[in-house]
Amino acid sequence: MGKIIFLDVDGTLVDYENQIPESAVQAIRRARSLGHRVYICTGRSRAEVYAPLWDIGLDGMIGGNGGYIEDHGQIVTHRMISAEQCRRVVDWLHGRGLEFYLESNNGLFASEKFETAGLNAIRLYSMGKGLEGAEKITVRSAFPEMIFDGELYRDDVNKISFILNSYQDYQDAKEAFPDLRAGTWGGKGEKALFGDLGLKNIDKAAAIRTLIAYLHADMKDTIAFGDAKVDIPMLKCCAYGVAMGSGGPEIKAAADYVTGDVDKDGLYQAFEKLGLLKE
């Protein structure tokens, strides 16, 4: 077994226009042909890992920021919030008038008014990422397979994202659900656009260690790539960490190497520098 490579998706493998650079595809396929393994390690649930990603050729994935692990089609572990926890969160969000969506491997299930209520937040998030035409994006184009009339009391939910009307919504969610991990995304601090609730005591680093043990591999052979603060634990736990040039200052400070931007062949450049493309 060669190196075991873990790639964040958004901002690392996929650019801010949701495109996969061709150079990244070439790098992954070449590395795998030489005996290296490549896994995506993402906050996305499996339902958000669309065919173009799998078509690159991957050995598996870590999803839900660590709650789901898959190797060559086999589920290694899948931890979800309970049906009772899901019901409590859904009722709390409804009571507070916050729109949300449930992230499940079986799909993304939107609350009743998410399509309209989420429009501004989705556009602001896309603008922040530098997405061309962000001011015209719709919720349906941002989430092409989102389900808008599905059951919301579920037992298959990885985590729940909700629109923040204010930063106080996040603080109150954190207090209301001490049995869950509360977070924010879409911006820094009080500028965050979304809150989320998921399982405690899971992250990308813990999931990587679980997968390495399952593979009977060695952590000394691991390499992680990321672009955001949430990726820092996996960069620190792996033997070598790479930050994308388009990433933030925190992850760049935590990395062993900073490569080019995601949309400027940064992934390919790093694979080449690390000798992953040579016989």
Side-chain angles (χ1 to χ4, degrees):
M1 188 184 298
K3 298 296 184 182
I4 306 169
I5 303 157
F6 296 95
L7 304 175
D8 171 55
V9 174
D10 298 291
T12 300
L13 175 55
V14 174
D15 68 22
Y16 299 126
E17 295 186 9
N18 207 31
Q19 300 296 314
I20 306 170
E22 182 57 32
S23 62
V25 175
Q26 293 174 3
I28 291 169
R29 289 177 176 170
R30 174 63 176 168
R32 291 186 73 235
S33 75
L34 296 173
H36 305 297
R37 294 193 180 205
V38 179
Y39 296 84
I40 54 173
C41 191
T42 176
R44 296 189 188 195
S45 293
R46 200 184 193 287
E48 297 174 87
V49 182
Y50 305 121
L53 284 167
W54 290 115
D55 290 346
I56 296 171
L58 299 168
D59 290 282
M61 69 170 289
I62 291 171
N65 281 332
Y68 177 76
I69 305 172
E70 178 181 319
D71 174 58
H72 292 94
Q74 297 296 313
I75 298 174
V76 177
T77 186
H78 189 187
R79 296 180 59 200
M80 296 168 282
I81 67 176
S82 70
E84 188 271 335
Q85 287 172 319
C86 178
R87 179 180 289 269
R88 284 196 293 115
V89 174
V90 167
D91 288 347
W92 186 85
L93 292 169
H94 274 147
R96 200 175 178 96
L98 298 175
E99 298 303 316
F100 59 91
Y101 64 95
L102 311 178
E103 302 181 38
S104 162
N105 281 14
N106 295 313
L108 303 181
F109 298 88
S111 61
E112 295 82 354
K113 299 177 183 178
F114 183 81
E115 184 172 6
T116 52
L119 188 59
N120 186 58
I122 292 298
R123 287 179 175 174
L124 288 173
Y125 176 70
S126 300
M127 289 176 188
K129 291 291 189 181
L131 176 61
E132 185 176 348
E135 71 282 357
K136 296 180 180 179
I137 198 170
T138 67
V139 170
R140 288 183 184 260
S141 62
F143 300 102
E145 297 186 23
M146 181 169 272
I147 298 164
F148 292 93
D149 57 356
E151 175 59 56
L152 298 178
Y153 291 150
R154 308 188 63 84
D155 62 1
D156 61 351
V157 175
N158 300 322
K159 60 190 178 82
I160 300 172
S161 286
F162 56 95
I163 300 167
L164 294 174
N165 290 337
S166 70
Y167 193 69
Q168 188 64 43
D169 292 326
Y170 156 72
Q171 293 176 316
D172 290 348
K174 186 176 181 180
E175 182 176 348
F177 301 101
D179 53 328
L180 296 172
R181 176 198 49 77
T184 63
W185 60 276
K188 295 181 180 180
E190 297 190 12
K191 294 182 180 179
L193 299 170
F194 292 88
D196 63 24
L197 289 162
L199 286 175
K200 283 191 167 183
N201 303 319
I202 64 167
D203 62 20
K204 293 182 176 184
I208 286 172
R209 293 188 188 99
T210 297
L211 179 57
I212 292 301
Y214 172 82
L215 296 173
H216 302 290
D218 197 314
M219 287 296 297
K220 68 178 178 59
D221 294 320
T222 57
I223 304 172
F225 289 72
D227 75 308
K229 192 173 181 179
V230 70
D231 300 319
I232 292 174
M234 77 168 178
L235 263 66
K236 288 187 173 180
C237 90
C238 286
Y240 197 88
V242 180
M244 305 303 292
S246 40
E250 297 98 334
I251 193 164
K252 289 178 179 177
D256 297 296
Y257 172 66
V258 178
T259 188
D261 291 2
V262 57
D263 56 353
K264 296 180 180 176
D265 302 325
L267 201 68
Y268 186 97
Q269 293 166 15
F271 271 49
E272 191 169 47
K273 174 182 171 58
L274 296 174
L276 301 171
L277 307 180
K278 294 180 180 178
E279 297 266 2

